Amino acid sequence: MSQELLELFRSAGALLDGHFLLTSGRHSPRYLQCARVLMDPIAATRLGGALATALGPHLREPPGAVVAPALGGVIVAHEVARGLGCRALFTERQDGRMTLRRGFQVLPGEGVVVVEDVITTGGSTREVIDVVHATGGRVLAAGSLVDRSGGIDLGVPMKSLLTLEVPTWPAEACPLCAQGSKPEKPGSRA
């Protein structure tokens, strides 16, 4: 699946080379724009189903919901939830904090899966995990289409369809900035 997924990203124009400012604030010479792949409903359903299947062996019980951060994780959550046969929810930022809105609820004691399109530092995923815990929910596992974190530990079983090693740097140590290049910000979080 890894090589096939990489080809899918390339053919959709979703794997970009250049100088990018990531959501985390770090800089990178490569960027994955998962929305370019997920705009195809057939590909989105296939990828979500594959991630649901990959997560299955790590789940000790059927989840009641799949939760993801908006915006990048919304379609991923929907399609993974379809594959797992449960509800799809997403968190949003309100006053700078991740929260459940729109009447979404995680029930006390409910097992959930947290998903994301791309995990780089794990920041957004950790914020969603914190929201789930604050509601009394239990995170059974986490997953992403792409893991470019270098193997972070989120404290729960984690599964990704594709693992990429792409360098990232703090802005002050970015060699591309040192060469005079200015980063682009293609991501969705303001």
Side-chain angles (χ1 to χ4, degrees):
M1 179 76 171
S2 292
Q3 192 57 39
E4 183 183 340
L5 185 55
L6 198 53
E7 278 307 310
L8 180 62
F9 274 92
R10 282 192 180 114
S11 67
L15 185 56
L16 308 174
D17 290 305
H19 182 188
F20 303 100
L21 174 60
L22 305 176
T23 301
S24 64
R26 295 177 68 86
H27 291 206
S28 179
R30 259 187 161 174
Y31 188 80
L32 284 161
Q33 185 59 272
C34 287
R36 299 275 311 175
V37 173
L38 297 172
M39 68 183 184
D40 176 349
I42 295 168
T45 298
R46 196 172 113 245
L47 293 173
L51 186 53
T53 298
L55 285 162
H58 302 283
L59 303 176
R60 56 188 184 273
E61 65 189 67
V66 174
V67 185
L71 190 64
V74 173
I75 294 172
V76 179
H78 186 272
E79 295 303 329
V80 171
R82 180 195 311 264
L84 293 174
C86 61
R87 300 182 333 277
L89 311 175
F90 57 87
T91 60
E92 300 173 82
R93 290 197 184 283
Q94 185 173 24
D95 301 323
R97 295 189 59 217
M98 200 68 84
T99 186
L100 285 169
R101 298 177 59 199
R102 304 173 193 273
F104 290 160
Q105 293 181 20
V106 172
L107 304 174
E110 184 174 34
V112 305
V113 173
V114 173
V115 297
E116 176 70 280
D117 55 353
V118 179
I119 293 179
T120 301
T121 65
S124 295
T125 306
R126 283 188 182 97
E127 287 181 85
V128 175
I129 289 171
D130 290 345
V131 168
V132 170
H133 287 156
T135 67
R138 296 174 298 108
V139 178
L140 304 173
S144 65
L145 298 180
V146 180
D147 177 5
R148 57 178 280 171
S149 73
I152 61 166
D153 182 1
L154 295 170
V156 296
M158 187 173 117
K159 190 66 182 162
S160 298
L161 297 182
L162 176 65
T163 300
L164 287 180
E165 291 185 30
V166 179
T168 66
W169 310 283
E172 63 276 5
C174 176
L176 301 173
C177 286
Q179 296 169 359
S181 176
K182 299 274 188 232
E184 297 176 52
K185 186 175 182 179
S188 59
R189 187 162 82 179

